[in-house]
Amino acid sequence: MNRKSTLASYILWLLCLGGICGLHRFYLGRPWTGLLWLLTLGLLGIGQFIDLFLIPGMVREENLESRIDLMERERQRIA
C-alpha cells in the first residue's frame, strides 16, 4: 500500500516560500484545490497558512481512503 507522509507534505508545503504553492495538495490527491493554490499563490498566502494546520488531517484522510479502496478491491477479487 502506498501511504502518504506528513513530513513529505510539509516539505512540499514549504516550497511555497519559493513561489510554488499547492504541491502538497496535488500530493494528497486534491488536484483542483492544488491548481487553485498554484494559480493564486496559496490564496494569497491565507490558504497556505491555514493548510499548515490542516495537513495532518488531509494525510490521514488520504491514507484512510487508500486503505478503503484497497479493501474494496480485495473484496471484489475474492467475490
Side-chain angles (χ1 to χ4, degrees):
M1 185 168 66
N2 194 8
R3 294 191 60 199
K4 302 296 181 175
S5 163
T6 303
L7 178 61
S9 297
Y10 276 118
I11 291 170
L12 292 170
W13 177 86
L14 280 172
L15 289 175
C16 189
L17 297 175
I20 307 172
C21 298
L23 293 180
H24 62 288
R25 287 186 166 264
F26 285 108
Y27 174 70
L28 294 173
R30 292 172 166 78
W32 294 111
T33 56
L35 185 60
L36 178 65
W37 259 236
L38 187 62
L39 296 175
T40 62
L41 296 175
L43 294 176
L44 301 177
I46 296 168
Q48 194 71 12
F49 177 73
I50 291 171
D51 278 355
L52 175 65
F53 303 102
L54 295 181
I55 284 176
M58 288 192 288
V59 170
R60 277 191 303 273
E61 185 178 332
E62 178 63 24
N63 287 334
L64 179 61
E65 288 174 2
S66 295
R67 282 189 295 239
I68 290 171
D69 289 344
L70 180 67
M71 287 173 22
E72 286 178 354
R73 277 184 267 137
E74 186 66 26
R75 185 179 58 91
Q76 289 175 355
R77 187 181 66 82
I78 292 172

